[in-house]
Amino acid sequence: MSHPAVSGLILICVATTFAVADDFQPPEYTIRRAAKPPTIDGKLDDHVWKTAGVIQDFVFPWHTAGEKEPTTARLLWDDECLYIGHVCSDKHITAVHKERDGKIPEDDCFEIMLMPNPGTPEKYYNLEWNVIGGILDNHRPHGPDKPRAEKWDAQGLRFAGTYIGTLNDDTDVDESWTVEIAIPWENFKPHLQHFPPQPGDVLKGNLNRHGGKTNLQYSQWAHGGTPKPQFHTPGRFGKFTLAE
Ligand SMILES: [Ca+2]
Ligand SMILES: [Ca+2]
Ligand SMILES: [Ca+2]
């Protein structure tokens, strides 16, 4: 005996699953040109930051439990640098590691993945940091499934972090941590479409958060679409357009 109602229900569920996968649209963000470089002091009170659009819709693709702590991020550019200013709401801030390419992912950290030229999508970089200036950076010249470049350290970074709360003491409740960073374009010169970049150039990338001890969460700007936490998903990167 057949059960057409049940069969129909199953078909609808399958169709819905595929519809969600196909509906993915990478997020887009226009990086405005900085009329004046921000002062890198870990405070986003520079007037120029008010001219930048705000990214605040981070997603939590692998959330299972706990509080989803929000993030806001702003990006600017000029001939010299890409500037990032972000505020991470965080009730328990962990920041221990300061050595270059150390165990930064164990700390509360923020990451940018950057593909300088969408025409060569296998070539991208990732830089991540905690609030105390520990930096881990890598270059993937052959795509996510191939070994990273043997050693790649971005040069000329200017970094400042501030926080409201206490570090590495989860007995209290913290508020947030903020980072302001200037990343010279020179670091990406081999793969940029233009050097210095030109208005209208398109780059791709993602912004990610993870780490920390209490309430460890993973969040990101562009949904990576993987079943488990995995940030090396250049095929799902969002689109950055450089504007005047
Ligand atoms: Ca500042
Ligand atoms: Ca935390
Ligand atoms: Ca604390």
Side-chain angles (χ1 to χ4, degrees):
M1 195 171 172
S2 65
H3 297 277
V6 173
S7 301
L9 183 63
I10 291 168
L11 282 174
I12 288 166
C13 291
V14 170
T16 303
T17 301
F18 280 104
V20 168
D22 289 340
D23 279 353
F24 175 72
Q25 290 290 332
E28 300 186 5
Y29 177 81
T30 299
I31 305 179
R32 303 217 173 89
R33 191 178 175 89
K36 181 185 174 200
T39 301
I40 304 298
D41 58 3
K43 293 180 278 184
L44 306 186
D45 56 359
D46 312 66
H47 177 265
V48 71
W49 283 121
K50 292 187 174 65
T51 68
V54 183
I55 293 173
Q56 54 191 351
D57 43 2
F58 274 45
V59 295
F60 292 73
W62 311 289
H63 181 260
T64 54
E67 188 168 341
K68 295 180 178 178
E69 296 179 311
T71 303
T72 59
R74 295 169 169 82
L75 283 74
L76 291 164
W77 74 286
D78 61 17
D79 284 352
E80 303 297 323
C81 290
L82 172 68
Y83 304 95
I84 304 171
H86 64 81
V87 180
C88 297
S89 295
D90 196 333
K91 290 185 174 172
H92 305 285
I93 309 171
T94 304
V96 175
H97 300 284
K98 287 200 81 168
E99 68 281 14
R100 190 66 171 254
D101 296 331
K103 295 179 181 175
I104 310 304
E106 292 183 359
D107 290 341
D108 277 298
C109 60
F110 182 98
E111 176 180 52
I112 181 167
M113 291 199 163
L114 195 69
M115 179 194 298
N117 184 344
T120 52
E122 73 283 7
K123 301 181 191 305
Y124 67 96
Y125 301 80
N126 65 296
L127 297 90
E128 59 192 281
W129 49 79
N130 56 22
V131 70
I132 57 175
I135 289 174
L136 182 156
D137 48 3
N138 286 306
H139 173 31
R140 297 273 179 163
H142 308 296
D145 302 325
K146 300 278 170 50
R148 58 189 175 221
E150 201 160 285
K151 179 70 175 166
W152 181 79
D153 284 342
Q155 303 297 310
L157 300 177
R158 288 182 291 125
F159 177 101
T162 57
Y163 54 90
I164 303 171
T166 62
L167 300 185
N168 310 314
D169 176 3
D170 289 356
T171 63
D172 57 9
V173 176
D174 306 320
E175 184 175 315
S176 62
W177 55 284
T178 298
V179 164
E180 203 169 22
I181 186 169
I183 307 172
W185 290 116
E186 180 100 31
N187 289 294
F188 312 119
K189 189 176 179 180
H191 302 304
L192 283 168
Q193 297 145 84
H194 304 102
F195 181 81
Q198 302 294 308
D201 282 355
V202 171
L203 302 84
K204 287 190 168 184
N206 209 352
L207 306 173
N208 303 307
R209 270 185 76 180
H210 60 103
K213 288 194 171 60
T214 300
N215 191 37
L216 193 160
Q217 298 291 342
Y218 302 92
S219 58
Q220 56 185 173
W221 178 48
H223 193 308
T226 59
K228 292 180 179 175
Q230 162 60 275
F231 292 112
H232 290 270
T233 52
R236 307 262 298 197
F237 280 179
K239 178 179 169 185
F240 294 122
T241 304
L242 303 186
E244 278 296 352

